[in-house]
Amino acid sequence: MGLSIIPYIFVLLGAVLWGTTGTAQTFLPENAHPFVISAGRSAVGGFSLLIAMILLKKIKFKSWPWKETIYAAICISLFQLLFFSSVKLTGVAIASVVAIGSAPVFSGLIEWLFLKLRPSKIWGISTAFALLGCIFLFMNKGEITINPVGVMYSLIAGVGFAIYTMSSKSLLQKEEAIPAVAMTFSLSAVFLSPFWFLYDVSWLQNGGNVGIIFYLGLATTSVAYVLYGRGLNKIPSSSALTLSLAEPTTAALLGVFIVGEILSATSWIGILLLLGSIVVLTVGSRSAKQLPVNS
């Protein structure tokens, strides 16, 4: 019994670590550009895992599935650029919940439009919740905490994350989770490297700021993805998705209680509706799988 719960704890811890990403960013100075933060996070997270994987001889560069890895790396790079920009504009709570809450909606739309897979009723209900949630977030009356441009960035980040998940799925059919994460984030670091020369990096002369970048790279990337991958191997993906709810929930709670973000009643309704959309999708998908095929 004790052992069987460990994979669930791994997934939960991974999701909680992801949820601290936006809050960690808020402790960086004003001149820390979101693009440099993204480049730093990818470099620390990707290269630390890559070195370990090369030493363990887990990566065969010649036969590596480069196409899927390049797609995944481009998408995770765009996701980070947009997400960190959104956190700067509209705060941790809103940015995190909109980006994560909208990803399953966009994933269903992409499958519908490009793969010609008809979405399920559950997806339709979940999407209605997510759309309502976004409407409530846009309904703010001149509120400082909500920046419409920031919300738009989060929505586009949701598209990026949806495509990243789909690219990663095909990559994980060919390679193990940890080498796949190592290669994806290392490539992402290469793609984002020009930003080191385009923006002010003087804030990295401060040891505390470097520590935050290392936290973002090691804890919220390397450790979080390894924990998540390890747990995912042993438990149903529907359970893992449900536990992933810990990510936007952690982010929203930290945004309010640690960063001190003040949200109006309409913002809270929007956040709860977006969280509700993920609950509907994860719980509904699990129930649907238990139904007989001919239904």
Side-chain angles (χ1 to χ4, degrees), residues 25 28-37 88 200 203 209 213:
Q25 182 197 345
L28 290 169
E30 197 57 41
N31 63 332
H33 197 281
F35 292 7
V36 178
I37 299 168
K88 199 148 197 168
D200 174 21
W203 52 276
N209 294 339
I213 293 295

Side-chain angles (χ1 to χ4, degrees), residues 51-70:
I51 292 162
M53 290 300 100
I54 290 170
L55 291 172
L56 292 169
K57 297 187 168 58
K58 288 274 187 183
I59 293 173
K60 295 177 181 72
F61 288 98
K62 279 186 179 173
S63 59
W64 188 266
W66 288 102
K67 192 176 81 172
E68 292 91 338
T69 312
I70 289 167

Side-chain angles (χ1 to χ4, degrees), residues 16-18 20-21 24 41 44 210-221:
V16 169
L17 282 172
W18 283 333
T20 64
T21 306
R41 182 195 184 203
V44 172
V210 173
I212 291 170
I213 293 295
F214 267 82
Y215 173 80
L216 286 170
L218 294 173
T220 73
T221 307

Side-chain angles (χ1 to χ4, degrees), residues 133 135-137 139-141 143 146 263-271:
I135 289 165
F136 271 95
L137 290 182
M139 265 170 47
N140 66 90
K141 298 172 181 65
E143 238 183 287
I146 298 189
L263 302 174
S264 68
T266 48
S267 305
W268 275 113
I269 294 167
I271 283 180

Side-chain angles (χ1 to χ4, degrees), residues 22 29 51 74 87 124 126 130 141 160 170 178 205 208 214 220 225 243 273 276:
I51 292 162
I74 290 170
V87 167
S126 164
K141 298 172 181 65
S170 54
I178 301 172
Q205 289 166 0
F214 267 82
T220 73
Y225 277 90
L243 290 167
L273 282 165

